[in-house]
Amino acid sequence: MFTASRPRYRIIFAALAACVLFSISLAQASEGEVAALNRAIQAQGAQWVAGETSLTSLSPDARKRRLGALKPLLTDEDHKAAAREQAALAEVTPPASYDWRATATGNWVTPVRNQGNCGSCWAFATTAAAESQTLMSNNTPGLDLNLAEQLLVSCSPAGNCNGGYISTASNYIRDLGLPVETCFPYTATNNSCSNACQGWTNNSYHIAGWHWVVTTAPTVEALKSALVTYGPLVTTMDVYSDFFSYRSGIYRYVSGTYQGGHAILIVGYDDPGQYFIVKNSWGTGWGEAGYFRIAYSQLSSVVDFGAYTIADEGGNPAPPPPPPPSCTYSISPTSKSFKAAGGSGVVTLSTQDTCDWTAVSNVTWVNVTSGASGNGSGSVSYTVEANATNLQRSGTMTIAGQTFTVNQQAARSRGK
């Protein structure tokens, strides 16, 4: 038996060996790539360090899957509106540095997420901005509000794992909102919208609105002024292969080929260091715990950082869940008469399925034998003890707030 199956083992061992060799070759290629890049960084006097990251171990195709921002098709009015916005922002005097993670009133940026092997950066950037706006509107600094990016990927017309548009995604968050992550956990796939939790539109978070800060001609001053005025900003950049190896420092393009468009969130800046602070969506194993700093100069380089920048306008909290349906109760019959010997009976209760109730006797001679409590419609059984007195008597049971009356004859008539 062992001899007959030996060819199968050989095939399995050969496949495993091929996988190991492929992984080793990827790792060796990555190490050589990083070493060459660090030499180029030093030669050009750039202020950042390349290294092994959560992306350098991936294949070139898998790295590209971490991008996905598509450039929007704008109208003349869009460009004019952005120009008017920049003119208004020229009246703002921003401080020398600012970071929405460390303001005097707290941290207004939610934790770094990971888009995984799906070109959904556009969904993560716009969701991150909506989370920050909601924190600011509700005055809840430091809250880990985690909204469902998967809903944008699976349900919105903005895009999917092959890429998407930050403007269309922002429209969707404004108009329909996003529920919390547990409503539609992220799968890094296109998934199906039918897998979202039922009734999510009744319990979703919205932004009040959004507008273009800049379109195709970003300026440092406009981005700084918009950042301190509105909060974290959704923006885009063109990614070149050296960016995947970024470990720390102030990034600027050094070498490598164009890989694709990327959407990210600007959360701060620093004039002395001449850089912006940016939240990425590649997990905390990349860059500076998931963030990167990028030189002001990259607004006018091939990176085109800052083009198509969006400012959200206020985050609206999700409405409270609808109150449970009001409970109405009815009983049948509402009374019954017994002879002196006593007896038993049943009262039928009608109500909604989710409504609780109890039944209790208000006199000692009427006893509830079953149905002392319940949920939804049901019945209550009871017994009436014999009346040994020469007086008629009357007692009640309270069933779901309704009164049931028991009348009982005397043992013998008075005067006999």
Side-chain angles (χ1 to χ4, degrees), residues 307-349:
Y308 307 108
T309 297
I310 282 175
D312 283 352
E313 301 164 359
N316 299 329
S326 57
C327 296
T328 57
Y329 301 93
S330 62
I331 58 174
S332 178
T334 58
S335 64
K336 188 173 181 179
S337 297
F338 288 84
K339 294 182 178 180
S344 62
V346 176
V347 180
T348 300
L349 168 71

Side-chain angles (χ1 to χ4, degrees), residues 249-292:
I250 304 169
Y251 173 79
R252 70 174 176 84
Y253 171 71
V254 170
S255 66
T257 56
Y258 173 74
Q259 302 295 298
H262 194 37
I264 55 276
L265 188 75
I266 308 175
V267 301
Y269 65 86
D270 184 75
D271 283 345
Q274 294 286 286
Y275 60 80
F276 287 104
I277 306 166
V278 189
K279 179 184 179 183
N280 204 350
S281 53
W282 293 348
T284 56
W286 177 91
E288 297 178 328
Y291 289 85
F292 66 98

Side-chain angles (χ1 to χ4, degrees), residues 11-26:
I11 293 171
I12 294 172
F13 291 151
L16 289 172
C19 288
V20 171
L21 288 173
F22 180 71
S23 297
I24 292 173
S25 87
L26 271 180

Side-chain angles (χ1 to χ4, degrees), residues 89-346:
L89 289 172
E91 303 298 319
V92 177
T93 304
S97 60
Y98 203 84
D99 187 343
W100 279 103
R101 301 171 300 173
T103 71
T105 51
N107 175 16
W108 306 95
V109 181
T110 53
V112 170
R113 318 292 187 197
N114 192 340
Q115 70 187 78
N117 192 37
C118 171
S120 55
C121 60
W122 55 274
F124 277 79
T126 52
T127 299
E131 290 170 348
S132 287
Q133 284 293 327
T134 302
L135 262 58
M136 291 188 288
S137 294
N138 295 343
N139 193 27
T140 53
L143 176 67
D144 182 7
L145 175 63
N146 192 358
L147 302 183
E149 295 90 355
Q150 188 66 53
L151 198 127
L152 283 175
V153 175
S154 300
C155 303
S156 82
N160 50 40
C161 279
N162 294 320
Y165 299 92
I166 58 174
S167 52
T168 311
S170 298
N171 284 339
Y172 196 84
I173 298 173
R174 178 195 64 199
D175 298 338
L176 293 178
L178 292 179
V180 294
E181 174 75 8
T182 53
C183 171
F184 201 171
Y186 186 68
T187 62
T189 65
N190 287 331
N191 213 316
S192 171
C193 187
S194 62
N195 290 324
C197 65
Q198 295 296 314
W200 65 265
T201 54
N202 296 322
N203 193 24
S204 60
Y205 293 76
H206 298 248
I207 55 173
W210 66 272
H211 62 270
W212 294 109
V213 173
V214 295
T215 51
T216 56
T219 66
V220 171
E221 290 305 314
L223 294 181
K224 288 166 49 181
S225 296
L227 190 71
V228 299
T229 301
Y230 299 110
L233 306 171
V234 181
T235 196
T236 67
M237 63 184 288
D238 289 336
V239 168
Y240 289 76
S241 54
D242 63 350
F243 188 65
F244 295 129
S245 301
Y246 170 86
R247 283 300 305 171
S248 63
I250 304 169
Y251 173 79
R252 70 174 176 84
Y253 171 71
V254 170
S255 66
T257 56
Y258 173 74
Q259 302 295 298
H262 194 37
I264 55 276
L265 188 75
I266 308 175
V267 301
Y269 65 86
D270 184 75
D271 283 345
Q274 294 286 286
Y275 60 80
F276 287 104
I277 306 166
V278 189
K279 179 184 179 183
N280 204 350
S281 53
W282 293 348
T284 56
W286 177 91
E288 297 178 328
Y291 289 85
F292 66 98
R293 291 174 287 162
I294 186 168
Y296 288 166
S297 63
Q298 300 310 285
L299 272 68
S300 55
S301 78
V302 292
V303 173
D304 201 21
F305 182 84
Y308 307 108
T309 297
I310 282 175
D312 283 352
E313 301 164 359
N316 299 329
S326 57
C327 296
T328 57
Y329 301 93
S330 62
I331 58 174
S332 178
T334 58
S335 64
K336 188 173 181 179
S337 297
F338 288 84
K339 294 182 178 180
S344 62
V346 176

